[in-house]
Amino acid sequence: MNKQFYSNDTERSVLGALLIDNSCIDDTFEIKIDDFYIPQHKLIFNSIVSLIQAGKHADILTVSQALSEEQLKNCGGLAYLAELSRDTPRVTNFKHYASILRNYTKARHANNIAKTLIKNLTKASFSNSDSSNQIIAQTESELFQLGHAVDNQDEQLIPAMLNNVMTFLETEHSPFISTGFKNLDSKIGGLEPKEITIIAARPSMGKTAFLISLIYNHIVALNNNPNLQIQPIFVFSLEMDAQSLMLRLLSALSHVPFIDIKNKNLDDSDYGKISDAIAILLKLKNILIIDDNAYLTPSIFRRKVQRYTRLYGQPTFVAVDYVQLMSSGEKNNENRAVEVSNISRQLKIHCKDFNIPLVLLSQLNRSVESRSDKHPLLSDLKESSSLEQDATTVILLYRDEVYNENSEAKGTGELIVAKARNAATGKVAVKFDGPYMHYQNLV
């Protein structure tokens, strides 16, 4: 049985309410002509809106005059317009009618997406996983956009906003998540829920090492203070597998050189230190969830964060290493900069929806290499300026020894806060322990 994804009565009620009270137009910012399924209703709605936008009053007579003779005939004539006004139950229910109308529109769009999915699947080559993954990712992206279509007004009045501000001020704990780097926290506050923090650098500068350091600092803080609430960290690693990340974390926690752990060049003392580090991780149990699937789209990211949150609890923060390796999941994306912009915008929406701090690792472009001063700039963000726009904080990593073998700053690095929407920009000096691939506070 085919379901009818429209309601004649709802469409009539919306139009009737508009004819009776033109001020209802203020609540139609989310209604478009395509929300009406019946052709004559499209004509009537278009005429009503055109008249009101022109500063004229829209009623039965003026709408009938705005329509051509043929259009008026197709719409049922003046008598039909009169019926619309007469049969509308209550003008005060207009917003409810409009909401129902939009729900039907979403249902029609979802139905079309489903039909397209079935059509594409019938043509897909199931011997090629990329083909089916791309079809599913495209469908997820379309459904996400449909689910985030504007339905309601979002303005907030002063009393409600002040109430939220007072609640914020009266809350004892800070909403920021400490990075564990004291001087950095004093500058930016920490990682902020609902906001994106970008950690960007050229290759080999230590982006992943900095992420490991954030995780290390959080684990050490929890281990030293049993009163702190244990919340997991979700890491989506697109470049490195989970085992490699764990080996790096164990190196930092045990203070055993990473190369020795990797090559299994360990003595009894090293094994003892590693055992102690493992004991800390086992005590904290689900403190770290690593997803190393190399294929990630914003839609898949959303679904996985929802799942992991359900299984392991609200995360302290979520990280992606690194964002340029993500795919939008959409076909025919010839312009990579546009694709990264779409990815960035969707991730911004997701972290607001989930109320989580989102840490995005990012590569910088080659412009750095052509300059005599190798310090990175905000303009060096690779492929898309939208990363900069969507981020609340951008931290650029720099270690002079990467470029200068005889550098006087060996064993140190700079955290360059290039953007801080709610804080101060500037540089923070840190220590870099090369053998353990680990950033630390510079004492």
Side-chain angles (χ1 to χ4, degrees), residues 55-348:
K56 300 176 182 178
H57 186 71
D59 57 23
I60 297 170
L61 182 59
T62 57
V63 171
S64 66
Q65 292 172 342
L67 294 166
S68 69
E69 185 176 338
E70 183 178 354
Q71 287 175 331
L72 183 60
K73 181 180 178 182
N74 291 336
C75 289
L78 193 62
Y80 188 73
L81 295 177
E83 284 181 18
L84 292 176
S85 299
R86 187 186 67 233
D87 295 344
T88 297
R90 293 183 66 184
V91 174
T92 52
N93 286 341
F94 174 80
K95 291 186 73 172
H96 181 58
Y97 304 150
S99 176
I100 296 174
L101 187 70
R102 284 290 297 148
N103 287 338
Y104 276 110
T105 302
K106 285 187 175 183
R108 289 198 299 274
H109 287 172
N111 186 50
N112 291 335
I113 292 171
K115 287 180 179 178
T116 302
L117 172 63
I118 294 171
K119 180 180 177 182
N120 290 337
L121 286 175
T122 58
K123 299 178 181 179
S125 171
F126 290 102
S127 61
N128 181 358
S129 62
D130 288 341
S131 175
S132 56
N133 283 339
Q134 190 175 49
I135 291 171
I136 293 169
Q138 173 76 17
T139 304
E140 287 180 326
S141 177
E142 291 174 355
L143 288 172
F144 168 77
Q145 292 175 25
L146 178 61
H148 279 76
V150 176
D151 284 328
N152 299 301
Q153 291 171 290
D154 296 318
E155 71 270 16
Q156 295 189 44
L157 301 180
I158 284 178
M161 290 188 288
L162 286 177
N163 183 59
N164 292 337
V165 167
M166 291 306 297
T167 300
F168 170 79
L169 293 175
E170 291 169 359
T171 301
E172 292 184 7
H173 68 277
S174 169
F176 292 96
I177 306 300
S178 173
T179 65
F181 294 97
K182 296 178 182 178
N183 291 337
L184 181 61
D185 285 346
S186 66
K187 189 174 288 292
I188 66 171
L191 305 178
E192 191 172 354
K194 298 186 179 182
E195 304 295 345
I196 292 176
T197 297
I198 289 179
I199 309 298
R202 288 293 293 151
S204 302
M205 196 62 70
K207 295 186 299 296
T208 304
F210 187 79
L211 173 59
I212 292 295
S213 299
L214 291 178
I215 298 169
Y216 167 90
N217 291 342
H218 186 63
I219 288 173
V220 169
L222 289 172
N223 188 56
N224 293 340
N225 188 350
N227 295 323
L228 290 177
Q229 182 180 1
I230 298 177
Q231 291 179 291
I233 296 168
F234 303 159
V235 174
F236 293 88
S237 180
L238 307 183
E239 186 176 36
M240 196 174 294
D241 62 39
Q243 178 171 306
S244 297
L245 287 177
M246 282 302 299
L247 291 178
R248 287 191 175 207
L249 181 58
L250 282 174
S251 174
L253 284 169
S254 65
H255 220 61
V256 174
F258 172 74
I259 191 66
D260 290 343
I261 294 178
K262 184 179 178 181
N263 293 336
K264 292 182 281 189
N265 181 27
L266 305 169
D267 58 25
D268 290 343
S269 175
D270 293 331
Y271 277 114
K273 293 175 183 177
I274 292 172
S275 295
D276 291 341
I278 291 174
I280 292 173
L281 292 174
L282 290 176
K283 183 178 71 172
L284 297 174
K285 294 183 179 178
N286 298 325
I287 188 62
L288 180 62
I289 311 300
I290 299 175
D291 185 317
D292 60 1
N293 191 313
Y295 184 76
L296 186 68
T297 68
S299 297
I300 293 174
F301 170 89
R302 182 181 182 87
R303 191 174 69 233
K304 287 189 172 184
V305 170
Q306 286 177 318
R307 178 174 180 269
Y308 297 151
T309 301
R310 186 172 64 251
L311 292 174
Y312 308 110
Q314 179 73 7
T316 303
F317 68 87
V318 178
V320 176
D321 183 12
Y322 58 93
V323 67
Q324 281 89 359
L325 293 178
M326 286 187 70
S327 167
S328 67
E330 299 177 4
K331 296 179 181 178
N332 304 319
N333 262 312
E334 297 178 1
N335 190 323
R336 179 57 181 167
V338 172
E339 185 175 19
V340 173
S341 295
N342 292 335
I343 292 169
S344 175
R345 184 60 195 148
Q346 289 191 50
L347 291 177
K348 175 72 173 179

